[in-house]
Amino acid sequence: MKELSRALSALLRPRGVLLHSTLAVILASTLAALVAVGYTAHATSQRAYLASQTRLNELLDTIEGTLAVACFAKDQTLAGELAQGLLSNSDVLGVSIATGQETLTDMHRGQSSGPPAMLLKRQVYSPFDRHKQVGEILLTPDPLVIEARIREEVWFAAIQLSWQLAMVTFAVVVMMLLFIVRPMKAISDRLHQMDPAAGERLATPQGHASTEIGQLVEDINALSDRLVSALATERKLRLQGEIDEKRYHTIFDNAESGLFLIDSQGLLTSWNPAFARLFSILPQPLPNDPFVLTIGQLPWQSPSQMSELVRSAVEQNQAVAQDFQYVNPQGQLNWINMVLSPVGDNLLQGVVHDVSRLKESEAYARRQVITDSLTGLVNRLGLEERLQAHLQEFAATKIGGFTLLMINLDEFRQVNEGMGLPAGDNILQSTTSRLSACIKSEDTLARLAADNFCIILSGVTQGEVVERIANRILQAIRQTYFVDGSPVNLHASIGITLFPNDGFDVPMLLRQTELALDSAKSAGGDTQVFFDPTLTEAVEYRRHLESDLRSAIQKNELVLFFQPIIDLNAQRLSGAEALIRWRHPTRGLVSPDSFIPLAEKVGLIAEIGLFVVDRACQQLLSWKNQGLDYTLSLNVSGRQIPDRLSPDMLNSVVQRYGISPDRLALEITEGVMLHDVEKSLQWLGAVHRMGFRVYLDDFGTGYSSLSYLKLFPVDTLKVDKSFVQDMQDDSNEYKLVAAIIAMGRGLGLEIVAEGVELKSHLTALKRMGCHYAQGYYFSQPVPAEEFAAAAARVAELLAQPET
Amino acid sequence: MQVLLLSLLVALLGTGAAVNAEPVVVVNAASTTQQLRQDEVINIFLGRYRSLPSGGGAVPIDQPESSALRAEFYRRLVNKELNQINAYWSRLIFSGRTSPPLQASSASEVIQLLVANPGGVAYVERSQVDKRFRIVLEFPR
């Protein structure tokens, strides 16, 4: 009972579910009832009208026969009887029967107040002829009667619907009370007292295990579970957070690196002790300190870079790093590295650490990389950097041209090989100081490799100034060096380029300078050459020549010329020197001075060397077959020794032609032997043992080291033509040639004098006791086919009487 | 005796006519009426109008109740049996507005009534027609 009253109080709650639902049900039912009643009224009136029509028709049917008789006979009495009978029916209000001509009867019952009803009219046919009309009857139905019937039916339907409505509403209210309101109230009461954290949960109301209410209870319980577990997780996280914060605080306080937070304006909001120590500021920001400190106020060397970094970190929204210099509390300039990372909330987290030592070692390593350890000068890398810097400066300002000089010692290799590496190093160091003395402090002196030096003359572009400086350098190098007390005389070649005239990038400048240097070397050294574009053309020319040379051998363009050698004692032609010539299809005869160095450089020398040996043997065989016992000498370059023209290769060629090795002489220069003394000695020893003769060529122009003469197995000396050509009575050359001949004879060597151009030369040589002579006086070098003619001319010359 | 014989003959003929009766509608030869349509005959005999088209009252005369000719006449006229005709009249008689045709007690009386009545209209066996009467309607066979 108590429950019911509680439920009723719930029902009366103004915004309660029950009241709402009940009102909604009543409203909906009433609407439905109104529609139903309206429809019923309409349908009933239709039905009632039709029913009345049917009934009247049936009435007429029953009297039809009599009516036909009455009309046929025009019997008013009979018609009146019929009308009377019809009027006794409550539906009928009036009857009128008429034949074609007259009205038999017209009767009405009372007066109808309702609207005129539809008249029912029927035609009456003769009882004897169904097609002959004899009259008609008009029935007036009573509308009031029909209306009354309709009203009655509608009323009945309305009452029935009201009953049903009342029953449905009652049922709904009761059902809602029982199945919804009561369990909800119970759930609500229970929820008020429930403590979900203590594990209390809602109980499912009885009978609602599988209803929506039961589902709701389950959902509420699940929600409680989730809330409770979320609360527990959050509590755990908060605890963990506190622990983490403590831990991070410890790390923050004890970190070696400086750590700090700034806002996007650079305002420092917090920092750690290490940061404070770096910049000598308070260990902690003071609480409520009105004095604000920004990162830019720290003692940076260039504060603008710092604000730049802050801005770029904020703009890019990603970590940025840079090294900065700052003045430390002791007043020294130190390096720190700073990393700024956005951490959200418009804050930047910064890490700084001292990188001064790192910077120092970096700088040291850098210096090492670009420094030549022997002389302390910058090396090639350093030079290229400086040049690059000059180029960039020029590109930016359009002023600041410069001159690049490349200096090479002409005879350094010989010194290094002949006197040892320490001597060479000594000379390089001396050269460094001499060169330094020739330039100003803003100029750059570099050593690229071995004895290759470079100088950048900053701001100097006038040719005459450069020439003056270059001459000063040449002069400085010419001064005698002393190595372990021994005097050494050296010369320098200098290649010069002017920037920006001669080149616009570093590799190009270096290449042009090197070209100029090569040109200076080719000119004999001890000189300076300014780069000019024709040098490039010369290089082009060499390149073409090189490719031509490669095909020259296949195309048989290389030929041997032979210059007769005369035995002065026997007064006869004893043999010849084989000289190679290149019959170039477009350039004509190319001298070996032009293409042999090229062949050496590009590695064709071995092939050419063998070709020469082969042709020489062929010629010897040809002479042998003619019964001529000539000898042939041929030139061997240093590059062919020891492997490119090995003793075995030589031997196999002479064997193939069946030539005795002593017919073939190998001419070498002193320079060849200086190149690699050990290997040269072995090679010489081997060929000498095989029976080949060895000539020392160009004797007198090189070192003419007498100890070498003793050391090497040499059979013959060839006196250089420069001495012979300049021989005049009592001239120095005359004495030199005489001395060489005397010395050679003393050592048991035979002597060939080259460059015999005049008869006087011949006379003098004979007087000196020279064994052999060679030169234009007798014959220039001639091709093999002309050699016989040349031999005949020689015989003629020899036959001339001496004057 | 002659009359008796004739009556007998008529009776015989009458019975013969009952089998093979062929009624024709006739009027007094003195009447001005020459022809009647079938519906005019119906109206006269069934009490709708009691006048001739030529003017003057019409007196319909019926054969005796049991006469075969009478049955045949109504059958041919309105396709009704005699009991139906009697039922018809019974509905009208008591109102008194109209009355059934004059009822003759015999065939001869029909002739007498017709001779005596200038407005008379009767139906007789075709064979009985003589110069005293004029056929105004013959029923198709």
Side-chain angles (χ1 to χ4, degrees):
Chain A
M1 202 60 223
K2 207 187 254 176
E3 250 178 39
L4 193 63
S5 71
R6 239 195 332 223
L8 279 174
S9 76
L11 172 66
L12 294 175
R13 194 177 289 171
R15 291 190 178 278
V17 173
L18 192 55
L19 189 58
H20 275 195
S21 312
T22 310
L23 287 176
V25 167
I26 290 172
L27 195 65
S29 308
T30 309
L31 275 175
L34 284 176
V35 171
V37 168
Y39 177 76
T40 307
H42 178 71
T44 308
S45 80
Q46 289 285 321
R47 207 168 56 237
Y49 176 73
L50 281 177
S52 138
Q53 292 272 313
T54 310
R55 244 184 344 267
L56 294 178
N57 271 319
E58 282 166 3
L59 268 178
L60 286 180
D61 287 346
T62 59
I63 59 156
E64 192 175 22
T66 313
L67 186 60
V69 170
C71 285
F72 184 80
K74 300 174 187 161
D75 188 334
Q76 289 176 344
T77 315
L78 187 53
E81 285 294 325
L82 281 172
Q84 206 67 52
L86 285 172
L87 281 176
S88 68
N89 197 300
S90 64
D91 283 350
V92 182
L93 192 64
V95 179
S96 168
I97 300 171
T99 65
Q101 294 84 28
E102 55 181 327
T103 301
L104 295 181
T105 182
D106 187 8
M107 286 190 207
H108 286 272
R109 178 159 49 81
Q111 274 300 313
S112 175
S113 58
M118 289 265 281
L119 293 178
L120 187 66
K121 183 177 179 182
R122 190 181 277 202
Q123 280 156 4
V124 181
Y125 295 93
S126 158
F128 307 106
D129 185 354
R130 303 236 38 99
H131 301 293
K132 187 177 165 86
Q133 190 185 342
V134 290
E136 62 176 17
I137 182 167
L138 276 173
L139 277 189
T140 311
D142 189 347
L144 288 179
V145 172
I146 294 170
E147 266 172 35
R149 193 167 297 141
I150 292 169
R151 211 176 298 123
E152 190 184 319
E153 280 200 31
V154 169
W155 182 238
F156 180 71
I159 287 177
Q160 208 172 11
L161 280 168
S162 304
W163 263 107
Q164 286 170 352
L165 173 62
M167 293 296 282
V168 165
T169 310
F170 181 72
V172 166
V173 169
V174 170
M175 288 302 119
M176 286 191 66
L177 266 177
L178 278 177
F179 293 118
I180 298 172
V181 176
R182 197 178 55 167
M184 275 172 62
K185 178 78 174 133
I187 290 169
S188 163
D189 290 348
R190 174 83 177 125
L191 275 176
H192 278 299
Q193 299 156 8
M194 195 173 84
D195 179 8
E200 289 179 6
R201 293 293 179 269
L202 280 181
T204 309
Q206 216 171 8
H208 281 290
S210 56
T211 64
E212 286 81 354
I213 299 280
Q215 189 61 48
L216 179 66
V217 167
E218 273 176 34
D219 290 346
I220 291 173
N221 282 340
L223 181 65
S224 309
D225 288 345
R226 282 203 301 278
L227 286 175
V228 166
S229 101
L231 274 175
T233 311
E234 202 198 310
R235 194 176 302 132
K236 210 182 292 169
L237 280 177
R238 203 171 54 234
L239 273 176
Q240 186 62 44
E242 280 166 14
I243 292 167
D244 284 351
E245 201 182 322
K246 248 176 239 166
R247 195 178 296 153
Y248 286 131
H249 220 266
T250 314
I251 294 171
F252 187 72
D253 285 346
N254 297 326
E256 283 294 320
S257 301
L259 304 173
F260 62 92
L261 276 178
I262 54 173
D263 65 10
S264 56
Q265 306 303 313
L267 182 70
L268 280 158
T269 54
S270 71
W271 58 83
N272 73 344
F275 187 79
R277 278 196 299 280
L278 266 179
F279 297 101
S280 213
I281 56 174
L282 286 171
Q284 289 283 323
L286 287 177
N288 307 323
D289 189 358
F291 179 76
V292 292
L293 183 61
T294 65
I295 189 89
Q297 289 168 330
L298 296 174
W300 305 114
Q301 182 76 355
S302 53
S304 59
Q305 283 184 346
M306 172 54 63
S307 43
E308 190 67 31
L309 185 70
V310 172
R311 203 171 58 237
S312 77
V314 172
E315 276 170 11
Q316 298 171 22
N317 195 27
Q318 64 181 38
V320 293
Q322 197 176 325
D323 293 343
F324 292 101
Q325 275 188 303
Y326 77 105
V327 184
N328 74 358
Q330 287 75 44
Q332 295 159 330
L333 209 52
N334 270 12
W335 280 97
I336 58 113
N337 173 266
M338 176 176 293
V339 182
L340 278 181
S341 331
V343 291
D345 219 7
N346 232 359
L347 282 179
L348 296 170
Q349 174 217 309
V351 180
V352 294
H353 50 267
D354 196 323
V355 290
S356 304
R357 210 167 289 166
L358 198 66
K359 281 276 172 190
E360 270 170 32
S361 48
E362 220 174 67
Y364 177 72
R366 244 197 98 55
R367 274 199 302 280
Q368 286 302 106
V369 167
I370 60 164
T371 303
D372 169 41
S373 56
L374 175 66
T375 58
L377 299 176
V378 292
N379 58 12
R380 172 176 278 274
L381 197 63
L383 177 79
E384 284 174 359
E385 276 183 14
R386 300 273 173 99
L387 284 173
Q388 199 63 50
H390 276 287
L391 259 55
Q392 277 166 2
E393 189 192 332
F394 182 80
T397 60
K398 296 289 168 213
I399 51 165
F402 60 87
T403 300
L404 181 64
L405 289 83
M406 197 176 281
I407 301 145
N408 190 268
L409 301 180
D410 296 333
E411 304 90 349
F412 181 72
R413 206 177 70 193
Q414 287 89 325
V415 171
N416 223 358
E417 287 170 354
M419 307 177 74
L421 288 174
D425 289 350
N426 213 326
I427 285 176
L428 288 176
Q429 282 161 344
S430 307
T431 307
T432 302
S433 53
R434 289 185 195 187
L435 290 174
S436 301
C438 297
I439 59 174
K440 293 193 207 138
S441 59
E442 67 263 28
D443 299 334
T444 301
L445 174 59
R447 178 171 163 251
L448 305 192
D451 56 331
N452 219 349
F453 293 87
C454 259
I455 291 174
I456 305 172
L457 298 174
S458 293
V460 180
T461 47
Q462 306 94 322
E464 55 276 27
V465 179
V466 177
E467 204 171 336
R468 207 161 53 236
I469 296 171
N471 279 331
R472 210 186 302 152
I473 290 169
L474 290 175
Q475 187 61 42
I477 301 298
R478 277 188 214 118
Q479 304 298 314
T480 307
Y481 290 82
F482 287 92
V483 181
D484 298 336
S486 319
V488 176
N489 285 313
L490 292 176
H491 302 90
S493 298
I494 305 179
I496 303 167
T497 49
L498 304 177
F499 177 85
N501 286 4
D502 297 335
F504 45 80
D505 65 22
V506 174
M508 189 174 179
L509 279 172
L510 285 172
R511 201 165 56 239
Q512 317 279 51
T513 318
E514 206 168 340
L515 270 181
L517 175 63
D518 284 349
S519 172
K521 287 237 168 221
S522 309
D526 193 21
T527 187
Q528 46 172 310
V529 171
F530 281 83
F531 171 80
D532 90 74
T534 57
L535 291 179
T536 329
E537 285 163 24
V539 169
E540 267 312 89
Y541 169 79
R542 277 235 311 275
R543 219 162 46 77
H544 283 297
L545 207 61
E546 183 186 318
S547 72
D548 289 350
L549 185 59
R550 286 181 192 280
S551 58
I553 301 165
Q554 280 87 39
K555 290 184 182 164
N556 255 336
E557 288 170 7
L558 296 180
V559 291
L560 286 189
F561 275 45
F562 302 92
Q563 187 173 36
I565 296 176
I566 288 88
D567 184 341
L568 297 179
N569 292 340
Q571 285 284 335
R572 68 178 198 93
L573 198 152
S574 70
E577 180 179 359
L579 296 159
I580 192 161
R581 292 289 184 273
W582 179 8
R583 281 201 176 115
H584 193 281
T586 55
R587 298 179 211 268
L589 271 185
V590 180
S591 119
D593 296 342
S594 304
F595 71 86
I596 289 300
L598 188 63
E600 287 179 345
K601 210 163 157 188
V602 302
L604 283 169
I605 192 67
E607 207 175 334
I608 293 173
L610 271 177
F611 167 81
V612 170
V613 173
D614 190 273
R615 281 299 150 91
C617 289
Q618 209 176 327
Q619 188 61 41
L620 281 171
L621 181 64
S622 159
W623 284 332
K624 189 178 161 187
N625 291 342
Q626 294 168 39
L628 299 166
D629 63 342
Y630 297 150
T631 59
L632 255 186
S633 67
L634 48 88
N635 292 283
V636 176
S637 102
R639 295 297 178 100
Q640 291 171 276
I641 297 170
D643 298 327
R644 295 199 176 86
L645 189 64
S646 69
D648 288 340
M649 288 155 88
L650 277 169
N651 203 29
S652 75
V653 179
V654 292
Q655 293 270 318
R656 192 161 70 243
Y657 285 97
I659 302 294
S660 165
D662 64 359
R663 296 285 91 196
L664 201 59
L666 306 172
E667 296 191 11
I668 55 172
T669 61
E670 284 172 304
V672 169
M673 292 186 289
L674 284 171
H675 183 63
D676 185 337
V677 179
E678 275 302 306
K679 291 226 173 102
S680 306
L681 254 180
Q682 278 178 11
W683 186 87
L684 274 177
V687 297
H688 203 252
R689 274 195 300 280
M690 284 173 179
F692 295 100
R693 311 291 302 276
V694 176
Y695 289 11
L696 195 57
D697 203 5
D698 299 341
F699 190 79
T701 57
Y703 291 98
S704 307
S705 168
L706 296 181
S707 59
Y708 281 12
L709 282 183
K710 208 171 71 183
L711 199 60
F712 293 138
V714 175
D715 302 300
T716 302
L717 293 181
K718 287 191 90 169
V719 182
D720 191 74
K721 58 186 168 199
S722 59
F723 299 113
V724 177
Q725 280 160 359
D726 296 343
M727 247 182 353
Q728 278 152 11
D729 289 346
D730 285 332
S731 69
N732 278 339
E733 283 79 9
Y734 183 94
K735 289 171 189 163
L736 251 173
V737 173
I740 291 169
I741 291 169
M743 180 196 72
R745 287 172 71 100
L747 287 170
L749 300 171
E750 294 191 315
I751 309 292
V752 179
E754 289 184 283
V756 176
E757 294 178 357
L758 302 169
K759 194 164 185 188
S760 63
H761 295 157
L762 185 64
T763 314
L765 287 169
K766 277 183 180 169
R767 199 160 50 237
M768 292 171 195
C770 183
H771 300 126
Y772 299 97
Q774 176 186 355
Y776 280 21
Y777 175 73
F778 295 109
S779 171
Q780 61 188 55
V782 293
E785 57 273 21
E786 293 173 23
F787 192 79
R793 258 198 325 279
V794 167
E796 266 174 44
L797 281 170
L798 289 173
Q800 282 178 6
E802 288 184 38
T803 49
Chain B
M1 187 69 215
Q2 252 187 336
V3 173
L4 182 71
L5 270 175
L6 186 65
S7 298
L8 185 67
L9 183 65
V10 168
L12 278 171
L13 282 172
T15 51
V19 178
N20 237 341
E22 192 190 353
V24 289
V25 179
V26 292
V27 294
N28 194 322
S31 168
T32 55
T33 302
Q34 301 299 315
Q35 278 283 318
L36 285 176
R37 293 196 315 274
Q38 189 167 342
D39 62 323
E40 286 167 346
V41 176
I42 290 171
N43 286 344
I44 291 165
F45 270 84
L46 288 158
R48 190 165 161 85
Y49 302 113
R50 284 285 154 87
S51 58
L52 289 166
S54 53
V59 180
I61 304 158
D62 250 341
Q63 293 284 351
E65 183 78 33
S66 57
S67 156
L69 189 62
R70 181 171 167 161
E72 185 62 21
F73 170 72
Y74 280 108
R75 202 176 292 130
R76 294 213 181 173
L77 186 69
V78 292
N79 195 25
K80 299 246 187 247
E81 295 304 320
L82 281 182
N83 56 348
Q84 288 177 300
I85 298 297
N86 291 341
Y88 171 78
W89 282 117
S90 67
R91 286 178 189 160
L92 292 174
I93 281 167
F94 77 101
S95 73
R97 185 189 166 268
T98 186
S99 56
L102 206 57
Q103 182 68 58
S105 57
S106 67
S108 51
E109 194 185 349
V110 170
I111 291 168
Q112 284 165 15
L113 286 171
L114 191 57
V115 169
N117 222 327
V121 181
Y123 53 92
V124 295
E125 179 62 44
R126 179 181 285 274
S127 57
Q128 289 181 330
V129 177
D130 56 30
K131 60 181 182 197
R132 291 173 293 173
F133 316 122
R134 182 183 302 128
I135 295 174
V136 289
L137 176 66
E138 286 173 293
F139 294 105
R141 296 228 42 127

